[in-house]
Amino acid sequence: MAKPAFAERAGEVEIKLALPARWAADPAALVARIAAVPALARRKATQQAVHSVYYDTPTQALRQQRATLRLRRVGADRGAQWLQTLKTAGRCDSALSQRGEWELPVAGPALELGQFADTPWPALDPEGVLAAALEPCFATDFERTRWTLRVPGGGRVEVALDIGRIVAQECQAPIAELELELLEGPPAALFALARRIARSTPLLPLAASKAERGFALRRQAGSGPEAMSARPVALPSGLSLRAIARQVLGEAFLQFSTNLHALQQAWAPDAPELLHQARVGWRRFRSLHRLLRPGLPALPPWAPLGPLLAALGALRDLDVARLDTLPPLAQDFVADAAQRRRAWQDLQAALEQAAQQALEAVHQALQAPAVGQVLLAWVEWLETLDGPLVDAAAAPPLPEPKPARRWLRRRTRDLAKRLDGALAEAAHGGMDAQHRARILAKRLRYASEAFAALLPGRERRRHAQALAWQNRLGATRDTVQAALLAGQHGAAPELVAFLRGVAAGRKHR
C-alpha cells in the first residue's frame, strides 16, 4: 500500500520553520497549540514516533559531498517500519530547500546499500570505500504529527510537526519545528500555507536540516551553539543583477536567521558571538539591499522587526561593555583600593543582571508572530529574485541594469566617495559626524567584501584603508557607551567619571 509521507521520491521541496525551543518541554501542549491554528483546525492528524540514525565515515566524506545517509524507524513495537534514505543537497541555503531524496524500505535496523543501485550512491562511492567505513554519527528521536491538506491554487501540502531531540554523543539539542512539504503543485503553495500559519504562530525560517544540526552538535561537544559568520559568495562572471542579489542577500539573510535561531535556544547571557553575528547579518543584509535596491523589486517592509532589533542592540551594548571594554580598564581604576574594587564589582554584577534581563527581552521579541511573518516574506522575496515562484499573471519585473558588473562598480565607487566626504567632515566634527562616517565605512566594508570578485584589487585595497579608521572609532564609541551604561545602572560617581575621562581621551587621539 502506498505511504504518501514515506514514499520513494527523486526529490523534495519543503519549508522548515522553527518554533520556540522552550515549547518542546511540553509536547502535548505544543501539538494542541499547532492543531488549533486556523489553517489546520478540523483537519485529521496522525502521529508517529520516529527514530533516526545518521551515518557517515570518520572523516565525514558524505557530508563533504553534501550527501546524507539515514536509517529510520517509523512507529513502535511490532508495527514499526524501517526505511533508509539518501539525500543529496540541491539548493538548501534558505528555509525553502530543494534537494534529491531517495527513500526505500529495509528489513530491519541495518543499512542495505545494494538497494541504492538506481540512486546517486554508486557515484558517491564507486569503489565501495565509503560503505566499508560508515559508522553512526548521531541520532534523532521525535514525535511527528502530520496533516495533509489542499491549498488554493491546486497545491497539496503535508505539514509535519516534529517535537523531540537530537543526540550526538553526550550532547543534546531540542527539536521543535514545522516542515511543510510539497506533494503537488508549485512551491508558491508552500508559502501560501506558511503565511497562514505565521499569522498566529511565532516561528523562524530554518535553513539547517536535522542532519546539519546533528553534525554541528557533534562538533560542539557541549560548548553551545555555533555562531555563523559571514561567508564568501562565488559570483561567476555573467550573472544578472538579480542572480547576484539572490546570492549575496541570501547569504546575509542566512547569517541573520541562523544566529537568531541559535540565540533562541541560548538561555544564559553566555552567547555573545551568536548575538554579534545575528546583528552583523542584519546590518549586512540591510546595507547590501540599500546598495542594490534601485535594480530590485520592492522588499517587504521590515518595521515589525523594530522591537527585536532594539532588544538585540541593547543586549549587544551590555555584552561589549561587560566582556570587552571594561575588563582591560579594571586595574587602572581599582589600583588596589578596596572601595574602588567594590565599586567595580558592583558595576559588573549590575551589568550581568541587566544582560540576563535583556536576553529575556530578546526571547520575548522572538515570540512575536510579526517577526516570523517578516522573515518568511523575505525568504519568499529572495526566492522570487531567481524567478521560480513568480506568478505568470504578476506585474512584469523591473528592467535590469546592464551590465550588472559595471553598475555595481559604479554604485560602490559612489559609496566610497561619500565616505571620503564624511571622513573629511569627521576630522573636524564631533561624535555625530564621526558616527555618520563610521556607518558609511561599514556599508563600504560590506559591499567591498560581498562584491570582491567584481571589484578591481586597487579599489579593495583603498577600501581597507578606510575600514582601519572605522575600527579605531568603534573602540571610542564602545567606551562612551560603557560610561553611559555605568551611569544608567547606578555605578559609583567616581567610576562613571573615570570612564568618561577614558572616552574623552580616546576621542582626541
Side-chain angles (χ1 to χ4, degrees):
M1 184 174 70
K3 300 182 182 302
F6 298 99
E8 179 181 355
R9 296 184 295 278
E12 67 174 358
V13 180
E14 67 180 16
I15 291 177
K16 293 184 290 294
L17 303 169
L19 299 165
R22 63 170 73 176
W23 287 8
D26 191 347
L30 177 50
V31 171
R33 181 167 187 158
I34 299 302
V37 170
L40 302 177
R42 297 184 298 278
R43 305 276 183 174
K44 183 179 179 181
T46 61
Q47 289 187 308
Q48 292 173 311
V50 181
H51 170 76
S52 302
V53 178
Y54 290 78
Y55 288 82
D56 209 329
T57 69
T59 59
Q60 297 182 13
L62 286 177
R63 188 177 69 84
Q64 293 175 29
Q65 298 185 71
R66 303 183 68 199
T68 302
L69 180 62
R70 181 185 73 202
L71 183 63
R72 169 169 285 182
R73 184 188 68 221
V74 181
D77 303 325
R78 295 182 179 180
Q81 180 185 17
W82 289 90
L83 302 151
Q84 65 179 19
T85 305
L86 174 67
K87 294 190 179 187
T88 55
R91 184 154 158 186
C92 54
D93 62 343
S94 86
L96 178 70
S97 65
Q98 304 176 59
R99 56 191 172 185
E101 180 181 66
W102 294 264
E103 191 162 76
L104 299 164
V106 293
L111 293 169
E112 299 177 14
L113 298 177
Q115 293 200 43
F116 280 151
D118 296 327
T119 76
W121 180 260
L124 292 169
D125 187 23
E127 305 297 330
V129 175
L130 300 187
L134 290 174
E135 63 181 19
C137 293
F138 58 90
T140 63
D141 283 287
F142 55 87
E143 187 79 12
R144 168 165 286 181
T145 304
R146 294 187 289 124
W147 298 262
T148 302
L149 60 156
R150 292 198 172 274
V151 297
R156 191 163 65 94
V157 177
E158 177 188 280
V159 179
L161 169 63
D162 294 342
I163 311 170
R165 60 180 183 168
I166 304 172
V167 181
Q169 299 172 340
E170 302 301 318
C171 303
Q172 297 187 18
I175 296 173
E177 64 188 48
L178 286 168
E179 291 183 356
L180 280 58
E181 183 170 353
L182 187 66
L183 303 180
E184 296 177 17
L190 293 176
F191 285 101
L193 178 57
R195 285 194 298 270
R196 295 170 62 191
I197 295 174
R199 290 172 190 165
S200 58
T201 307
L203 49 81
L204 292 175
L206 181 61
S209 65
K210 294 182 181 70
E212 291 171 293
R213 284 146 55 203
F215 281 115
L217 186 65
R218 181 183 172 100
R219 291 193 301 271
Q220 291 159 21
S223 61
E226 291 180 329
M228 178 184 172
S229 303
R231 300 183 299 189
V233 176
L235 297 175
S237 61
L239 288 180
S240 69
L241 179 65
R242 288 187 184 84
I244 292 171
R246 171 63 182 84
Q247 296 293 324
V248 298
L249 292 177
E251 190 278 330
F253 179 80
L254 183 63
Q255 182 186 8
F256 180 46
S257 59
T258 297
N259 286 299
L260 282 184
H261 176 250
L263 189 63
Q264 186 191 58
Q265 300 182 61
W267 278 103
D270 59 355
E273 190 61 17
L274 295 175
L275 171 69
H276 173 55
Q277 294 300 334
R279 294 185 74 237
V280 170
W282 158 249
R283 290 198 301 265
R284 292 177 63 232
F285 182 90
R286 188 180 178 192
S287 178
L288 292 171
H289 172 260
R290 186 171 181 173
L291 188 143
L292 294 163
R293 181 171 54 195
L296 300 179
L299 178 71
W302 58 270
L305 295 182
L308 172 62
L309 296 173
L312 292 172
L315 179 54
R316 177 59 181 169
D317 285 342
L318 287 162
D319 279 350
V320 171
R322 68 191 180 90
L323 299 175
D324 298 330
T325 305
L326 292 178
L329 302 175
Q331 190 55 44
D332 290 338
F333 176 76
V334 171
D336 297 327
Q339 185 176 355
R340 288 189 171 195
R341 185 179 302 279
R342 286 194 298 271
W344 192 273
Q345 292 171 343
D346 289 345
L347 175 58
Q348 287 284 5
L351 294 181
E352 293 285 343
Q353 182 178 5
Q356 183 62 62
Q357 293 170 349
L359 181 60
E360 175 62 29
V362 169
H363 282 269
Q364 291 298 323
L366 285 170
Q367 293 195 54
V371 170
Q373 291 172 22
V374 171
L375 299 184
L376 184 62
W378 284 0
V379 172
E380 186 172 9
W381 180 83
L382 285 165
E383 295 296 335
T384 62
L385 292 180
D386 282 41
L389 304 178
V390 175
D391 186 344
L398 295 171
E400 282 211 13
K402 293 182 180 180
R405 181 175 186 143
R406 185 180 302 167
W407 186 85
L408 283 168
R409 284 184 179 179
R410 186 171 64 251
R411 294 282 293 172
T412 305
R413 286 169 185 161
D414 289 345
L415 183 57
K417 289 179 181 178
R418 290 181 61 195
L419 175 59
D420 287 342
L423 288 173
E425 182 181 351
H428 305 288
M431 287 300 295
D432 289 344
Q434 292 181 356
H435 180 67
R436 285 193 295 272
R438 182 167 174 254
I439 294 300
L440 285 171
K442 283 187 176 183
R443 289 177 54 196
L444 180 61
R445 173 185 177 183
Y446 300 144
S448 185
E449 291 173 348
F451 306 124
L454 308 178
L455 300 175
R458 65 181 182 277
E459 289 192 20
R460 297 199 306 273
R461 289 190 292 272
R462 181 168 171 269
H463 299 165
Q465 294 174 358
L467 300 182
W469 177 89
Q470 175 221 323
N471 292 333
R472 291 194 300 272
L473 183 57
T476 302
R477 185 265 180 196
D478 291 342
T479 309
V480 172
Q481 188 63 33
L484 289 173
L485 288 171
Q488 292 169 4
H489 290 87
E494 184 181 11
L495 176 49
V496 176
F498 166 76
L499 294 174
R500 288 174 177 167
V502 173
R506 289 180 175 176
K507 285 182 190 178
H508 300 291
R509 282 183 182 178

